[in-house]
Amino acid sequence: MNIFRLTGDLSHLAAIIILLLKIWKTRSCAGISGKSQILFALVFTTRYLDLFSSFISLYNTVMKVIYIMCAYATVYLIYGKFKATYDGNHDTFRVEFLLIPVVLLAVLINHAFAPMEILWTFSIYLESVAILPQLFMISKTGEAETITTHYLFFLGLYRTLYLFNWIWRFYFEGFFDLIAVVAGLVQTILYCDFFYLYITKVLKGKKLSLPA
């Protein structure tokens, strides 16, 4: 495993833990898009079905289990334990506009027309756009709590580091996955504007505000 993948995985894990701690400590899921969290839970579920059929390494298995458990724990906190604090009035992104194209793409453009491969491809495509409901919610409310922006920053950092991981693997392992790379580029581009605002405002102690 190269350093970019390891730090990418740790950044991803940090983002998930930051979000869970934010919800648990404040006893509130205000400002968090439940729709984005459902999409991420769907991403992990469809991507890691191979937990039941193959073993790569202990690290790989443990990380997959952690991602799945944390994703569903987050969904439970939002729609269960702290449902009264969930701002559904602002979490209005039409997720069917993401799911339908993603399903079609996964069926039409994949490495092999087999159930497991289609589901893996679906998860890759879906992850690239799963954050859109959260970004849409922030743009609708006009601002975001600092802890929420930290969560988004580490998610974006994870995806950026994974792009370097693909470059490393191409040059040193001869491995290249066009589907994963293109989806990763799309996801990173979605974070570009946020990264600029994070660096220029949040790191200077200002509250992140976005145009409605």
Side-chain angles (χ1 to χ4, degrees):
M1 180 189 301
N2 63 69
I3 188 64
F4 297 113
R5 179 181 174 184
L6 178 60
T7 53
D9 287 346
L10 293 178
S11 295
H12 196 182
L13 186 59
I16 294 171
I17 292 174
I18 286 171
L19 184 64
L20 278 171
L21 288 178
K22 182 268 182 192
I23 296 174
W24 188 258
K25 284 188 175 182
T26 63
R27 318 295 286 182
S28 170
C29 54
I32 304 299
S33 169
K35 291 184 177 182
S36 270
Q37 297 311 310
I38 288 177
L39 293 181
F40 281 123
L42 186 57
V43 166
F44 297 137
T45 302
T46 53
R47 182 174 302 171
Y48 299 144
L49 289 174
D50 62 351
L51 274 170
F52 303 103
S53 59
S54 63
F55 177 81
I56 299 175
S57 67
L58 180 61
Y59 170 84
N60 185 272
T61 298
V62 169
M63 292 298 282
K64 288 178 179 179
V65 172
I66 290 175
Y67 287 151
I68 293 173
M69 291 180 63
C70 287
Y72 281 98
T74 304
V75 171
Y76 164 71
L77 292 179
I78 294 173
Y79 290 99
K81 190 172 183 62
F82 302 122
K83 182 179 180 180
T85 66
Y86 170 56
D87 188 6
N89 292 327
H90 287 123
D91 193 14
T92 57
F93 191 93
R94 300 283 296 276
V95 294
E96 61 268 28
F97 292 156
L98 300 179
L99 288 172
I100 293 175
V102 164
V103 169
L104 292 175
L105 275 174
V107 171
L108 296 173
I109 304 175
N110 50 65
H111 295 308
F113 196 75
M116 290 290 286
E117 189 64 34
I118 291 173
L119 287 171
W120 178 86
T121 307
F122 167 83
S123 76
I124 296 296
Y125 291 149
L126 183 59
E127 186 184 18
S128 69
V129 294
I131 199 63
L132 281 175
Q134 180 66 66
L135 296 177
F136 179 79
M137 187 176 184
I138 292 176
S139 68
K140 193 170 183 180
T141 58
E143 61 183 23
E145 295 180 16
T146 300
I147 196 68
T148 304
T149 60
H150 291 335
Y151 159 71
L152 291 172
F153 173 78
F154 277 102
L155 267 187
L157 181 61
Y158 140 70
R159 180 41 59 189
T160 303
L161 287 168
Y162 252 68
L163 288 180
F164 286 104
N165 166 58
W166 296 128
I167 294 172
W168 176 282
R169 295 192 66 183
F170 175 74
Y171 280 103
F172 294 98
E173 301 174 18
F175 179 84
F176 181 75
D177 188 323
L178 183 60
I179 289 176
V181 171
V182 171
L185 281 171
V186 170
Q187 190 174 359
T188 304
I189 289 170
L190 291 177
Y191 285 98
C192 285
D193 186 50
F194 170 80
F195 276 144
Y196 172 76
L197 292 172
Y198 184 90
I199 293 171
T200 58
K201 291 189 176 183
V202 177
L203 294 185
K204 293 181 179 180
K206 299 179 181 178
K207 195 169 186 178
L208 178 65
S209 297
L210 297 175

